[in-house]
Amino acid sequence: MAFLNKDIDIIDLGLRDYKEIWDFQEQLFQEILAIKIKNRREETNLDTPNYFLLVEHPHVYTLGKSGDLSNLLITEEKLAAINASFYKINRGGDITYHGPGQIVGYPIIDLENYFTDIHKYLRFLEEMVILTLAEYGLKAERSKGETGVWLDVGTPFARKICAMGVRASRWVTMHGFALNVNANLGYFDHMIPCGIKGKAVTSLHVELGKTEVSMEEVKEKLLKHFLQLFEAKVVEKINQ
């Protein structure tokens, strides 16, 4: 087995089209898989790279491979009217909304460089968000049987602040998490979030009673906790 490469490239993509970045994820994902296959077949010891993409998307709804289309509550005509697009994609989970004011993170990493446990991986992503929100004075939690990060779990006021859905093959990950920071919550009314009826959604700026929260500050906190949890080291930080 190759030396464990815990180095990671952080790529901040700004506001970018969902399909464009999905294709970019797929490209990086396939490159890592190709190295792993070469190592196995040719008994080489090439390092596999790790990436963490940060992005905001224009309004878009995405449906995971196990999702139910009926959880999207509007027609194609209404999608166009609210300036939103829709994609069926290859991650786990049901329906999710992405839009401006939301930090979307896509770790494309070889888990064999860290640990081979997909449940631990998801718990670490949740913990990264929980620790970040704690810095803003919020007590965020996991909700049993429901991936993601929530507030006031177990009460009538339970609300989701971060959604998650990942894909993994040969321990290489793609897709990731979406944290509502300054999100327009009206867009969540057009779907049943993650297919869970009767659960509210919230955003950091709403919880803090602010018009806007610094996206850059939240990104820095997320990255800090990610690097600590995964014992990873940033090699390069790229703004594209």
Side-chain angles (χ1 to χ4, degrees), residues 133-193:
L133 294 175
E135 293 197 51
Y136 290 94
L138 296 178
K139 185 178 185 292
E141 301 171 84
R142 296 172 183 86
S143 181
K144 191 173 180 182
E146 298 170 333
T147 305
V149 178
W150 301 71
L151 301 173
D152 287 336
V153 172
T155 78
F157 309 105
R159 55 209 180 276
K160 192 171 199 172
I161 194 166
C162 181
M164 290 186 185
V166 303
R167 175 191 174 199
S169 176
R170 296 177 187 259
W171 299 113
V172 181
T173 66
M174 66 181 287
H175 299 298
F177 68 92
L179 174 62
N180 298 330
V181 179
N182 300 307
N184 180 341
L185 297 178
Y187 277 80
F188 287 93
D189 294 339
H190 303 304
M191 66 176 199
I192 299 171

Side-chain angles (χ1 to χ4, degrees), residues 18 25 52 62-67 89-98 102-107 118-133 140-143 145-150 160-168 173-180 188 191 193-196 201 222 225-226 229-230:
Y18 183 84
Q25 282 194 76
F52 192 149
T62 70
L63 185 70
K65 57 191 176 189
S66 58
I89 62 170
N90 59 350
R91 60 158 169 78
D94 206 285
I95 197 160
T96 300
Y97 159 78
H98 298 311
Q102 186 185 69
I103 295 174
V104 182
Y106 299 128
I118 197 69
H119 294 288
K120 181 176 178 180
Y121 172 65
L122 285 165
R123 300 298 82 78
F124 270 22
L125 291 185
E126 290 166 347
E127 189 67 15
M128 167 192 69
V129 174
I130 289 167
L131 292 169
T132 296
L133 294 175
E141 301 171 84
R142 296 172 183 86
S143 181
E146 298 170 333
T147 305
V149 178
W150 301 71
K160 192 171 199 172
I161 194 166
C162 181
M164 290 186 185
V166 303
R167 175 191 174 199
T173 66
M174 66 181 287
H175 299 298
F177 68 92
L179 174 62
N180 298 330
F188 287 93
M191 66 176 199
C194 300
I196 303 166
V201 177
L222 287 167
H225 293 301
F226 179 90
L229 287 162
F230 286 82

Side-chain angles (χ1 to χ4, degrees), residues 62-78:
T62 70
L63 185 70
K65 57 191 176 189
S66 58
D68 184 346
L69 186 56
S70 66
N71 289 323
L72 179 66
L73 303 176
I74 54 174
T75 61
E76 282 186 32
E77 291 76 19
K78 185 65 191 288

